[in-house]
Amino acid sequence: PGNSLLHRAIMQEDKKTAAFLLNNRANPNTFNLQQQTPVHLAIQNDMLSTVRRLLAAGATINWPDNKVMRCAG
């Protein structure tokens, strides 16, 4: 619990589902219980194409990742 469908898709490295969710207006700036956004998770999983897609969908990269205390960008 605590992860959106977009968080889950990225955690599972499922680029196709992540793209589908973003194309259907999933919020790219939502936080999970660990205060991580989908961008934080995509960067951690080395999913550069997904990071680009998240940014194109309006994701913000300058929020700190409270789990590791650093910004995504």
Side-chain angles (χ1 to χ4, degrees), residues 15 42-43 45-55:
K15 295 176 186 178
I43 290 170
N45 289 332
D46 294 321
M47 298 172 68
L48 183 57
S49 63
T50 301
V51 171
R52 288 184 181 131
R53 191 176 291 268
L54 286 160
L55 294 175

Side-chain angles (χ1 to χ4, degrees), residues 26-49:
N27 182 355
N29 292 310
T30 188
F31 289 90
N32 63 13
L33 291 177
Q34 290 78 33
Q35 297 301 302
Q36 294 174 303
T37 65
V39 171
H40 292 125
L41 298 175
I43 290 170
Q44 288 175 4
N45 289 332
D46 294 321
M47 298 172 68
L48 183 57
S49 63

Side-chain angles (χ1 to χ4, degrees), residues 11-32:
M11 290 169 69
Q12 295 172 359
E13 298 184 28
D14 185 347
K15 295 176 186 178
K16 189 174 184 178
T17 299
F20 173 81
L21 292 168
L22 289 168
N23 288 338
N24 287 281
R25 299 185 177 234
N27 182 355
N29 292 310
T30 188
F31 289 90
N32 63 13

